[in-house]
């Protein structure tokens, strides 16, 4: 019997390998987001004489956010399928650590001219490649590492670690801004989180190098899959990933990233209160994830001749999708200039959102066969995130500028409703054996 296909006997080490590395990845990614204004002032000065500077600034934002993440999902997913999950996890964290250090060491425009924005663009392209590949590799690794009846729980740590990274970046940025003089923050303070991120990447690399490979010996002996084999041989499954992800990623970025800004623009909430409510609800969200994963793993309760309570992946997905379709508009319309109301709305959305985020990694991994699992997940997932999640703040801001801010909640609700139709037709996979 091929024992290499069995789940690992070191589940804690496996969880740490995926979670710590993923947290570092997202810490580095969000650090750039929180410090963007400081970086822009030093690298993309408004009074720059060279006309290439504003062009490169635009390219940095769009090329990374809407192009490199799907490319990273495809390429790093292929690495995971061809050379092993652990190899792909090593590559992604090295890419993120190196690109984070590159951001931290980027020369200013005053010192290097147009070379400064070029270096920053390269660093952000590498970060986008790494983040896009991280989900594909870590999702597959986490779910394949889980023992029987624990795939949902292991899956939930994808967003536990993502949230931890976001909170760490936000906390460190807040601390630096609060303690350093403005001159120091503009001079060298903004570089500190990125240099620290590179150091943390080394710690994540050390943990990941001690993890066990989850690809079976049979898979390692089989011919290596082609780069586009998942798309070519499994088009239905690829489209299924898009349908599952569309509503979830739009709701996720709306509630975890855009909601404080939305509350400022549409309800007059003070910026400091909006950010505090967002931070508290984000911490609450991270704590909810394992509960959602555990709930999806519970066996059906045999309470009568016709079965019992339908516990599994699909009920949680429908709880999320239909919940957002019905409640997104009332929740966002309920916002007013009140910290308490904003916090309640934020936390209510986080509860609904957990129905998707806590199990999305497991659902995705259970759709594809192991030969192309990572690449099969990586490209359609990252592409859908770029199209729906990454554009959420832009769509919300655009409809506000056009004078129709009330349309944005309906947009979120409609996409979640469409994803719910996909969830209704999904087969329940929670209690099936994972293909290895």
């Amino acid at each position: 019997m091929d024992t290499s296909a069995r789940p690992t006997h070191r589940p804690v080490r496996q969880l740490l390998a995926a979670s710590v590395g993923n947290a570092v990845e997202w810490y580095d990614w969000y650090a750039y987001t929180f410090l963007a204004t400081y970086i822009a002032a030093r690298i993309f000065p408004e009074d720059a004489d060279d006309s290439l500077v504003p062009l490169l600034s635009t390219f940095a934002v769009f090329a990374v956010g809407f192009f490199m993440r799907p490319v990273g999902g495809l390429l790093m997913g292929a690495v995971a399928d061809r050379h092993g999950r652990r190899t792909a996890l090593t590559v992604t964290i090295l890419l993120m650590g190196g690109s984070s250090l590159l951001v931290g060491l980027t020369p200013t425009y005053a010192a290097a001219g147009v070379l400064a924005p070029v270096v920053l663009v390269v660093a952000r392209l590498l970060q986008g490649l790494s983040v896009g590949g991280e989900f594909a590799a870590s999702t597959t690794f986490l779910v394949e590492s889980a023992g029987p009846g624990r795939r949902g729980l292991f899956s939930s740590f994808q967003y536990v670690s993502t949230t931890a990274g976001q909170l760490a970046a936000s906390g460190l940025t807040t601390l630096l801004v609060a303690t350093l003089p403005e001159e120091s923050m503009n001079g060298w303070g903004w570089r500190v989180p990125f240099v620290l991120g590179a150091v943390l990447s080394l710690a994540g690399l050390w943990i990941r190098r001690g993890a066990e490979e989850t690809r079976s010996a049979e898979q390692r002996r089989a011919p290596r899959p082609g780069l586009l084999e998942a798309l070519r041989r499994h088009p239905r499954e690829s489209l299924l990933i898009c349908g599952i992800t569309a509503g979830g990623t739009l709701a996720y970025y709306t509630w975890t990233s855009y909601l404080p800004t939305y509350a400022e623009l549409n309800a007059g909430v003070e910026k400091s209160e909006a950010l505090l409510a967002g931070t508290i609800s984000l911490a609450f969200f991270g704590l909810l994830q394992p509960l959602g994963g555990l709930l999806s793993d519970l066996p059906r309760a045999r309470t009568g001749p016709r079965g019992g309570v339908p516990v599994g992946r699909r009920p949680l997905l429908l709880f999320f999708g239909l919940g957002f379709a019905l409640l997104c508009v009332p929740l966002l319309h309920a916002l007013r200039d009140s910290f308490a109301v904003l916090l309640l709305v934020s936390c209510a959305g986080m509860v609904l959102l957990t129905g998707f985020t806590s199990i999305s990694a497991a659902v995705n991994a259970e759709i594809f066969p192991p030969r192309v699992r990572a690449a099969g997940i990586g490209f359609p997932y990252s592409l859908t995130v770029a199209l729906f999640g990454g554009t959420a703040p832009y769509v919300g801001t655009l409809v506000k500028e056009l004078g129709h801010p009330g349309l944005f909640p309906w947009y979120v609700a409609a996409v979640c409703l469409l994803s719910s139709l996909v969830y209704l037709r999904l087969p329940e996979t929670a209690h099936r054996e994972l293909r290895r």
Side-chain angles (χ1 to χ4, degrees), residues 15-16 19 27 31 50 118 155 192 195-196 204 228 240 257 265 284 336 345 368 371 374 379 427 431-432:
L15 274 177
L16 281 174
S19 300
Y27 161 85
D50 197 318
V118 169
S155 167
V192 171
V195 176
L196 178 60
L228 300 176
L240 201 56
S257 298
L265 293 175
F284 172 66
R336 57 180 63 91
V345 168
F368 276 94
R371 174 179 167 81
F379 181 71
H431 309 303
R432 295 180 184 176

Side-chain angles (χ1 to χ4, degrees), residues 300-335:
R300 290 177 64 94
R302 297 294 178 183
T303 57
R306 298 183 65 184
V309 180
V311 181
R313 317 286 190 236
R314 190 167 57 180
L316 263 71
L317 290 173
L318 288 170
F319 168 75
F320 152 72
L322 295 177
F324 256 94
L326 294 172
L327 298 176
C328 179
V329 175
L331 284 172
L332 291 182
H333 282 177
L335 289 173

